[in-house]
Amino acid sequence: AKLWGGRFEDSVTDAVERFSESVSFDKALYKQDIMGSRAHARMLAHQGLMTVSDRDSILHGLDEIERRIEAGEFVWRMDREDVHMNIEAALTDMIGEPAKKLHTARSRNDQVVTDLRLWCREAIDKIVASIKQLQVALIKLGLNNEGLIVPGYTHLQRAQPVLLQHLLLSYVEQLERDVGRLVDCKDRMNFCPLGACALAGTGLPIDRFLTSDALGFTAPMRNSIDAVSDRDFVLEFLSANSITAVHLSRLGEEWVLWASEEFGFLTPSDSVSTGSSIMPQKKNPDPMELVRGKSARVVGDLMTLLVLCKGLPQAYNRDLQEDKEPLFDSVKTVLGMLEVTTEFAQNIAFNHARIQKVLPAGHLDATTLADYLVNKGMPFRTSHEIVGRCVALCVTKNCQLSELPLDQLQGINSIFKEDVYDFLGVENSVDKFSSYGSTGSECVAEQLNFWISKLQIDQTENEKTE
Amino acid sequence: AKLWGGRFEDSVTDAVERFSESVSFDKALYKQDIMGSRAHARMLAHQGLMTVSDRDSILHGLDEIERRIEAGEFVWRMDREDVHMNIEAALTDMIGEPAKKLHTARSRNDQVVTDLRLWCREAIDKIVASIKQLQVALIKLGLNNEGLIVPGYTHLQRAQPVLLQHLLLSYVEQLERDVGRLVDCKDRMNFCPLGACALAGTGLPIDRFLTSDALGFTAPMRNSIDAVSDRDFVLEFLSANSITAVHLSRLGEEWVLWASEEFGFLTPSDSVSTGSSIMPQKKNPDPMELVRGKSARVVGDLMTLLVLCKGLPQAYNRDLQEDKEPLFDSVKTVLGMLEVTTEFAQNIAFNHARIQKVLPAGHLDATTLADYLVNKGMPFRTSHEIVGRCVALCVTKNCQLSELPLDQLQGINSIFKEDVYDFLGVENSVDKFSSYGSTGSECVAEQLNFWISKLQIDQTENEKTE
Amino acid sequence: AKLWGGRFEDSVTDAVERFSESVSFDKALYKQDIMGSRAHARMLAHQGLMTVSDRDSILHGLDEIERRIEAGEFVWRMDREDVHMNIEAALTDMIGEPAKKLHTARSRNDQVVTDLRLWCREAIDKIVASIKQLQVALIKLGLNNEGLIVPGYTHLQRAQPVLLQHLLLSYVEQLERDVGRLVDCKDRMNFCPLGACALAGTGLPIDRFLTSDALGFTAPMRNSIDAVSDRDFVLEFLSANSITAVHLSRLGEEWVLWASEEFGFLTPSDSVSTGSSIMPQKKNPDPMELVRGKSARVVGDLMTLLVLCKGLPQAYNRDLQEDKEPLFDSVKTVLGMLEVTTEFAQNIAFNHARIQKVLPAGHLDATTLADYLVNKGMPFRTSHEIVGRCVALCVTKNCQLSELPLDQLQGINSIFKEDVYDFLGVENSVDKFSSYGSTGSECVAEQLNFWISKLQIDQTENEKTE
Amino acid sequence: AKLWGGRFEDSVTDAVERFSESVSFDKALYKQDIMGSRAHARMLAHQGLMTVSDRDSILHGLDEIERRIEAGEFVWRMDREDVHMNIEAALTDMIGEPAKKLHTARSRNDQVVTDLRLWCREAIDKIVASIKQLQVALIKLGLNNEGLIVPGYTHLQRAQPVLLQHLLLSYVEQLERDVGRLVDCKDRMNFCPLGACALAGTGLPIDRFLTSDALGFTAPMRNSIDAVSDRDFVLEFLSANSITAVHLSRLGEEWVLWASEEFGFLTPSDSVSTGSSIMPQKKNPDPMELVRGKSARVVGDLMTLLVLCKGLPQAYNRDLQEDKEPLFDSVKTVLGMLEVTTEFAQNIAFNHARIQKVLPAGHLDATTLADYLVNKGMPFRTSHEIVGRCVALCVTKNCQLSELPLDQLQGINSIFKEDVYDFLGVENSVDKFSSYGSTGSECVAEQLNFWISKLQIDQTENEKTE
């Protein structure tokens, strides 16, 4: 019989039971549920709503239940619907009468959302830690490839030469904003709904500040209806995850491209590649394809939750039970994506020789040449046009800008002098970039130092282990 | 060691293995995978690419593997990556050498998409059958509530009186188009990719028509690259599911509303309701809330697949592995929604007395009154305005249109005669509707007969069992 | 001819021009584009990259262009592609040579993202202001309906009595978190990309801190590739908007329900209702239906941007041009939703008499009765069961809990005493709630005072104007 | 004053009017609205609900209104809310009394959905025609590049050699299924809602079959509530568009890749490329980037409509007004994507020399070598492993499979004979593919002929014009 069965004559049908149960997935909240019950029992005893002896029975019972769950000895029962009822009913089976007092001044409505906030808080900490590991891996990858110049792309067309370190740091920046979003989300969600009960609060003399403190929340939530109704903290968390996932999908795309025969810029080690069941020559960068692909489910999870919450009136509606699986999936997926991207970053080699060989193609120094003309006092639009003509000449003659003899340059415009060759060629070009945040080696070193210090990266160790 | 491991020196890391494996979910395809392998082995033997004795070993081996899987004796190994490799490797463990010939002229790329099409085909049949059951349940619900007039709503404001049967049939119509979409989807997907191999076909003398026929496909797919690259059949399927789910979410919303104290139009039986852990008086229509809520994940699953496929170049990309979980989830969810909605429909009672009592409110007969005036030759816009004034009078006097005495009606316009009272009151009003497809009782009877015959509903049986 | 046309021989086809142009929508950025150009020109002159006289020509030219745009005299040309080229080319038409220097050390890549950040910053301020207006309207609505008790719902079933003020404050809380998200988003995006140029920075001696300061940014962005590549600030903004939109959709649903004949809890005034072209009696709460409906496009806009960014490699890709329309639509829609919800809140009357009449239905005092038993020392689970039996008795006898005579209550359990009637009936019940954040009148007054002071609401004025 | 204003005292506020109006976008339905009114007026006259003279006044008035709209002389008034009211009110202004009869037995609820179905029908025809043009362009592109072998990819790694024609035909196949989906959608939606009125039908003696026939619908819709409530036809249409858009995004990605310096497989002509405002050497394949990017808004539009419809009870809700803008945007975007992709296909050149030069890289003939061994009787798994070892040897020696001397091959396995060299090298390899639907030249010729005949492509003309 259900714990709410007082006025019910029939039990629900099997199909309804199967369709409605949540214990198959919300048992993932067992630790948070027990944590919440401990705090609640202590508060009830402190407020005189339960004897100290009842409290102690409950606490010991909960310890034992937690032990059993972690040992795999606990039997989860679908007919007990959810994690809350499973634990409470098991507690009653174990300690009897005192267990019936645990649900005083509490409802599953405030209980589940307390559990969920505790779970999210911890999940955010894990994701933030994983992001930091990836940031460190990207920076170390840069340190191990110092001085490597690669083409910078716009429109997937070669645009300007950049230091690989500079490119890698652009991902580190994006990940840092991801951390910021998660931390803000955590701060905003870290308020305690416990004590909101079904939706209206309670008339019993509880102390919500006590439970809030005990559970590490900033404060109790101010409005009991709000406390049980809203899932905006999950929406915000899944939004943050989606943005992180999109960031990783972009890195995934880039590395899949770079691992292709046509680019040939990087080679993953065997330990992060897979082969083909039919084509013996294949070596596929599958982990990064999956990182790119799995971003889709993180976005899908967010979409599920937005559709779910749309148009529900206050306060708790059973629809909200469906908040958990997308949340769990989003967290698991993002953690996996981060972990695997980190491993991939630790297991790729950049093909310096190949990159150096193909680097001259694409007139990557054209903008530097335009800067040269601007430095000579020519308006930018004019210089842009002149460089355009130089490039057209190169295309006709199938050569590099640096290979155009001075007289031919001067044939286009007499402003060109011998010093122009200091601006041509990718090495010269990359060296000229000097504005704050640009790809010039000094600017990049400055960025690197910022991150090494911020992330407390130990470079000595780095050199040893890699 | 992986089956594709020929040129590989290191095995993949644990994290990559965990992140990349698909066997934990694609083992759901075991039946289709074995079905495909049987057809493939028979074709290979027929074409002389395998001896009859090898074929028979393989067929017996596959039988035994299928038996073990269904008996729960089969050990799925994550290091064997996916359902295909698990079955093939187990076959090799069992029968040795002949098993190594099974993958002739086949790749996992065409194999997985063959499995998936077979699976979808069957899933569509199941969903179509479930939709028909719901249609039957809705019609029986109508038959059991013959003559019941309920308010028809627009903007959730009472608009016109309708027969409950008419309202229920509107859902039956929507579900029928859902069936149409699924059947079209199945017809369009029922082409055989097997033999497309990795992407280019094969040089071995296979016969793709043979396997296509054996597996019940309409024909082999015409282009091997298309065969392994595209997942549009999954996208179409998930789109059809999403539309069905949205339809069900609307029914869910309606029944949740109708079960509220404020409407009070229907009461679910205990077997499809749940109670509250804190509020002893509650009886919640949870199954329909969950139907409404679970529509969200069906939409989320579609979204996942759209995001997944966006921007992938031809042909197979590992991202596509992520097509399965959203597909499986969508199908499972829609089936559950249909089943539970059917059970709900079988377990609700409409509160005739209550409905009859509140029906007069809302001036549901106002449009019929406007029709009365049009029948007298008045332009519709004028009649609309006059009825507007009658309604305003009712609001002032807090009465029904039928309660306005003739002189007051004539005070508004002299066109009103004694016969106006044949058009007022909800019973009179509903009876007047006579256009094709309208809510008049004859029109509804016509619709009902159409559906009873189309769905072959046995009414005698109905009367007995309910 | 395009400004980038140097090496091009043919111009693009009409279809491509039509498909690629963005000026038809990005002209909305004209103010930000001019603002950015002013700061850029001043910086160039300060750094000696342009003469003071050129700078002044440019500044005067930009003033004139802004004036023309705002006066509707500016001719936007599709063949000039976008807002940037339109303004720069018009400037060149107007002041000649100096205009050609404006694009020095700048690219459309950093220019557009600077414009966009400036635009978003302002849009966030507008939305935050609109949210605050809605919060104030909700609180005033509460103040004007002091003491009104309404049913609190879970599962759309009546659960517990709550003060209307308490319910309205739950929306105020949600909106406050929406403000928090927007402010965090603004802080995170308020960094200056200008000077990142195409993607690598520049070799010209610019000062990015100067432009950053002039434009009110916190600092220049640290990495030039990141600066032009990422749109996570738009994703975050659209996520925040989606959450706000979902919140408003819930309020929309609630008020549409409450305006129905069946609930009958509120009546919108004519100025926020619409009628029917066919049913003269209708009075529809359309604005709140549209608020609910328009939440969909805000979610759709977010989805567009997530799909857009998925799988793009660094750095700028033309796909990113598509970021603007969803952003503009999201902001316009959310602002409209907020404004109309505020007006609706200012134009509804709660039907006190009706609410009071129907309030006794639904046994809203059942939980309070359970609290009564707990206060007497009974374990909660036991009390829940006993109250369940009392409710069942009421259902049988079709009466309220408060109408059960003491002997019948004692027939269920002897613990009931005469004082039980102090806990029964909705007024008694609502008064008992006393926990922090609960619906008891003191708790609600405390919440109200918090918000009145935080939002600086002048109550005197309120009483006068309403 | 609004046409529904009978019982209203105040007019709506400006903000509500602005928020609620739809004429700014639904005026796009003017042609369908007038078409529907013509059919409706003729039917009313035929049924004696209107005189022939009234009908003729109406028909002439509608002609004049249509003329004015198309000449840009019609003044759309926001205070008249929508396209229906604008046209009807203008008709009343023009012809007076008879116009007031036009809305007899009709409501905006059935009127708008009739307009929408007519509009969608036409839009589908346009999209289907555009798809066919793209299919023709792809086939002509193939015909112009006969015999060109390109690498076929899986995981973006080179897998097997394929004919370019084969690859292009894979897109033609996908587009053909897109056509199928659209045609099915059109067939399913082509039923007439007119006469369903507000939701319940009408008591006036109309003939719905007459209007249905006149408007080219298959039949009237069977259930009036369904007729005005559902938007599943829009959902299905937007789903079909989303799948098409995803297909095009994939082609977009592929061609963007192929246009990169690294691939270098294709060069777009100037007429479908754009340059950079800062980098004079750039030539970007923007149209295909935008095709890829714009797929996002098509998906977003679908998402909007799914969220919109979720959880709405029957029948018409004002939310549904929001169905139009996503629909219009989806159609416009998909048409643009198709048109531009067609133009791009007509304006690219494949770089045969470059492709031929890089083709040997990647061991594309490895599978053919495995087939060689299978032909010799070796089990596939064994042959796969042996070829794996051959490839490993090539990697070590940095050579092609065809460059391995026979003794070295025999060192791996003695089964290799001199005839092995007939299977090595991409030309040999591609020639070996012979299974139905594979990339062998005969198979591809067969596919080509199928499509040339199906799409009625005139090859003579082709040769002349290109």
Side-chain angles (χ1 to χ4, degrees), chain D residues 169-188:
Chain D
L169 286 175
S170 72
Y171 285 108
V172 173
E173 292 283 345
Q174 298 175 356
L175 291 165
E176 188 66 15
R177 287 193 296 275
D178 292 335
V179 168
R181 267 181 285 273
L182 288 165
V183 168
D184 285 351
C185 173
K186 183 179 146 185
D187 288 350
R188 196 167 2 260

Side-chain angles (χ1 to χ4, degrees), chain A residues 6-297:
Chain A
R7 62 167 283 212
F8 281 69
E9 287 167 16
D10 291 340
S11 58
V12 297
T13 67
D14 283 354
V16 167
E17 184 163 288
R18 248 181 298 117
F19 190 69
S20 312
E21 68 85 24
S22 61
V23 68
S24 62
F25 52 86
D26 68 14
K27 65 185 174 192
L29 298 171
Y30 80 91
K31 197 191 284 285
Q32 288 76 21
D33 199 67
I34 290 172
M35 198 184 305
S37 287
R38 280 191 190 115
H40 190 64
R42 285 199 181 97
M43 182 276 289
L44 291 175
H46 185 270
Q47 300 296 108
L49 287 158
M50 176 185 283
T51 65
V52 168
S53 137
D54 283 350
R55 180 198 68 190
D56 289 344
S57 301
I58 287 172
L59 293 177
H60 288 132
L62 289 172
D63 286 351
E64 172 60 11
I65 286 171
E66 187 169 34
R67 194 200 58 72
R68 287 188 196 167
I69 293 171
E70 290 178 351
E73 299 166 10
F74 190 85
V75 183
W76 296 100
R77 285 175 47 179
M78 199 172 77
D79 65 316
R80 285 175 172 176
E81 295 186 327
D82 54 31
V83 63
H84 323 297
M85 287 304 202
N86 265 273
I87 290 176
E88 188 183 330
L91 190 69
T92 309
D93 293 347
M94 192 184 300
I95 66 166
E97 208 59 5
K100 297 191 178 175
K101 296 188 177 163
L102 180 56
H103 211 57
T104 308
R106 182 172 88 169
S107 150
R108 282 187 293 181
N109 294 359
D110 60 337
Q111 192 179 356
V112 67
V113 77
T114 303
D115 293 3
L116 213 54
R117 284 172 184 260
L118 290 170
W119 191 91
C120 286
R121 214 169 66 180
E122 205 180 312
I124 286 177
D125 288 345
K126 281 187 205 156
I127 295 178
V128 167
S130 287
I131 291 178
K132 287 191 184 302
Q133 282 172 9
L134 176 54
Q135 288 178 312
V136 169
L138 291 169
I139 287 166
K140 289 191 174 176
L141 190 59
L143 291 171
N144 289 335
N145 288 280
E146 188 154 2
L148 179 60
I149 301 173
V150 297
Y153 296 85
T154 62
H155 307 259
L156 205 67
Q157 296 288 315
R158 293 170 166 221
Q160 296 174 329
V162 297
L163 285 172
L164 175 70
Q165 294 182 336
H166 190 55
L167 177 60
L168 293 172
L169 286 175
S170 73
Y171 285 109
V172 173
E173 292 282 347
Q174 297 175 357
L175 291 165
E176 188 67 15
R177 286 192 299 275
D178 292 335
V179 168
R181 266 180 287 273
L182 288 165
V183 168
D184 285 351
C185 173
K186 182 178 147 186
D187 288 349
R188 198 171 356 263
M189 80 167 56
N190 199 28
F191 289 83
C192 188
L194 201 60
C197 303
L199 82 157
T202 181
L204 299 170
I206 60 172
D207 184 340
R208 292 185 57 204
F209 289 86
L210 219 57
T211 39
S212 171
D213 279 357
L215 294 167
F217 285 111
T218 306
M221 290 183 74
R222 218 169 3 234
N223 181 295
S224 62
I225 299 178
D226 175 41
V228 298
S229 301
D230 208 0
R231 291 299 183 270
D232 63 350
F233 65 100
V234 186
L235 286 171
E236 182 176 353
F237 188 7
L238 296 202
S239 297
N241 276 353
S242 294
I243 300 173
T244 303
V246 164
H247 280 152
L248 294 174
S249 81
R250 300 184 66 170
L251 183 55
E253 169 83 359
E254 191 150 288
W255 283 354
V256 167
L257 287 179
W258 286 34
S260 69
E261 187 69 40
E262 286 68 20
F263 278 75
F265 289 178
L266 66 79
T267 309
S269 77
D270 285 2
S271 62
V272 292
S273 312
T274 58
S276 157
S277 71
I278 181 171
M279 295 164 293
Q281 87 283 13
K282 295 293 297 293
K283 186 168 175 180
N284 301 321
D286 293 51
M288 294 315 290
E289 291 178 276
L290 280 169
V291 164
R292 185 179 58 191
K294 278 179 195 279
S295 68
R297 65 197 291 162

